[in-house]
Amino acid sequence: MTCQASNELEQLVLQARPYSSQGKLATYIPALEKANPSHLSVAIFHLDGTCTYAGDYKQRFSLQSISKVLSLAYVLARIGDEEVFQRVGMEPTGDPFNSIAKLETTKPSKPLNPMINAGALVVTSLIPGADLKEQWEDFLDFIRTLTGNPEIAYNKELQESEFSTSYLNRALCFFMKQHGIINGEVEKIMELYTKQCSIEMNCLELAQLGAVFANNGRNPVSGEQIIPVQIARICKTFMVTCGMYNASGEFAMKVGIPAKSGVSGGILGVIPNRCGIGVFSPALDEKGNSLAGWKLLEFMNEKYNFSIF
Ligand code: GLN
């Protein structure tokens, strides 16, 4: 793999960086407050195996909600779409990612989609395995295969910080357990979920993982089909309709690519049949999307014209 610094991207980073001062770090997970709000990094991984990067590209960050696309791909591949979509829907909500509101008003109370917390918790509850250890290790192996880095791991401090403060996510789980949408022990689901959210990587690894989706599930370097074509398609579709929380419509309008963001400030972008993009900048807008990261993608779209629409 050849990765190179790009002057052109560096210029765009320079243009977007000032926006980071308008955003705020997520603080509801205490350990996320330790991030440096002025960080901004980007990498593009092309399907010919080359990649370019700019900004603070070495900086590692946790996936948070970006992991929701990956757990979905994994569970769909392992247990099949019928079982998954019996328990989680396919529609955007227009609500914040951690909202409980629609669970009460939708009958049966299955979450509207797998990109919101309620839906992602259902997906995590479906990760197969004899016990928590096996569930976690097999899932982590999948992430390592996707990034091509066998050292990918989760940040324990961050995981413990979220696990010990996740009252709202526990509430979502208990609500859904009451309604028969999830089975199993809530504490175990929470452990697995907070571990998947705390998986760390840099923008290069995130871009490489995005390139697998861009390449219809096939690793562009090894040629290995890691995710079945149909599942890669389902994931990209959810990224367009629900990937940027309740700002997905505006993002589709302004940038126009499948994308998924996380409250750590990471954004995974996928340009079908072209490249994967990894962006990171931890200061967020009021809906929880990386402010400078979003701006950078807008500038990139103006320059490279990558909207799929
Ligand atoms: N771990 C976070 C949570 O469940 C992920 C949310 C996010 O990135 N939007 O609250």
Side-chain angles (χ1 to χ4, degrees):
M1 186 211 325
T2 14
C3 277
Q4 279 182 332
S6 155
N7 285 335
E8 216 171 76
L9 273 182
E10 202 66 60
Q11 289 308 312
L12 299 179
V13 164
L14 222 60
Q15 206 182 327
R17 208 186 278 276
Y19 288 92
S20 64
S21 64
Q22 294 173 21
K24 286 202 179 75
L25 295 175
T27 54
Y28 75 98
I29 300 174
L32 281 179
E33 249 188 308
K34 291 188 177 168
N36 177 345
S38 65
H39 274 154
L40 176 59
S41 63
V42 58
I44 305 180
F45 197 99
H46 300 276
L47 298 194
D48 64 2
T50 61
C51 66
T52 50
Y53 58 81
D56 311 292
Y57 69 97
K58 285 187 181 156
Q59 187 58 43
R60 302 187 84 69
F61 52 90
S62 58
L63 290 177
Q64 300 301 335
S65 279
I66 299 172
S67 70
K68 291 170 177 155
V69 187
L70 312 179
S71 52
L72 177 67
Y74 180 74
V75 167
L76 283 171
R78 291 287 304 266
I79 71 171
D81 55 349
E82 216 170 292
E83 217 174 304
V84 174
F85 292 121
Q86 253 167 32
R87 295 172 189 273
V88 60
M90 299 180 181
E91 299 301 335
T93 66
D95 295 328
F97 63 84
N98 54 6
S99 176
I100 200 164
K102 293 237 164 57
L103 278 185
E104 215 184 355
T105 52
T106 313
K107 296 283 175 260
S109 359
K110 79 179 200 189
L112 283 181
N113 71 71
M115 300 292 111
I116 50 173
N117 283 14
L121 288 160
V122 172
V123 171
T124 297
S125 77
L126 296 172
I127 292 178
D131 53 22
L132 215 148
K133 185 169 178 289
E134 188 180 302
Q135 287 176 298
W136 169 245
E137 285 175 357
D138 288 356
F139 177 66
L140 186 60
D141 263 352
F142 171 66
I143 306 297
R144 289 173 169 169
T145 309
L146 278 176
T147 55
N149 178 358
E151 318 250 288
I152 293 284
Y154 76 100
N155 178 326
K156 196 161 187 296
E157 183 195 346
L158 201 54
Q159 185 266 331
E160 285 171 354
S161 175
E162 180 172 15
F163 185 79
S164 60
T165 52
S166 253
Y167 306 114
L168 197 45
N169 284 333
R170 281 186 175 80
L172 293 170
C173 285
F174 282 119
F175 194 95
M176 293 189 289
K177 196 170 159 78
Q178 178 73 42
H179 289 274
I181 305 291
I182 62 174
N183 303 314
E185 257 180 71
V186 170
E187 287 310 288
K188 284 190 178 157
I189 296 168
M190 284 305 304
E191 186 173 334
L192 201 49
Y193 175 77
T194 50
K195 276 185 171 162
Q196 75 171 64
C197 288
S198 310
I199 293 173
E200 281 191 321
M201 59 185 72
N202 59 32
C203 62
L204 293 160
E205 288 152 347
L206 189 60
Q208 181 162 359
L209 169 167
V212 175
F213 286 92
N215 200 29
N216 304 308
R218 193 181 286 275
N219 181 322
V221 182
S222 68
E224 184 194 351
Q225 190 78 41
I226 304 176
I227 301 167
V229 180
Q230 276 305 331
I231 293 178
R233 186 186 62 78
I234 292 171
C235 292
K236 283 179 278 190
T237 311
F238 274 125
M239 289 167 81
V240 169
T241 56
C242 318
M244 302 296 281
Y245 316 128
N246 43 337
S248 299
E250 187 185 346
F251 188 82
M253 204 67 80
K254 294 192 172 155
V255 182
I257 59 168
K260 182 76 203 87
S261 71
V263 286
S264 53
I267 303 177
L268 165 67
V270 174
I271 309 184
N273 304 310
R274 200 160 146 188
C275 61
I277 301 176
V279 170
F280 168 64
S281 183
L284 309 177
D285 63 20
E286 70 289 349
K287 289 184 175 164
N289 290 307
S290 169
L291 216 150
W294 174 309
K295 274 289 165 197
L296 178 59
L297 287 166
E298 266 188 58
F299 296 148
M300 286 166 73
N301 183 39
E302 280 162 22
K303 191 161 182 80
Y304 304 120
N305 191 22
F306 55 40
S307 169
I308 63 168
F309 299 107

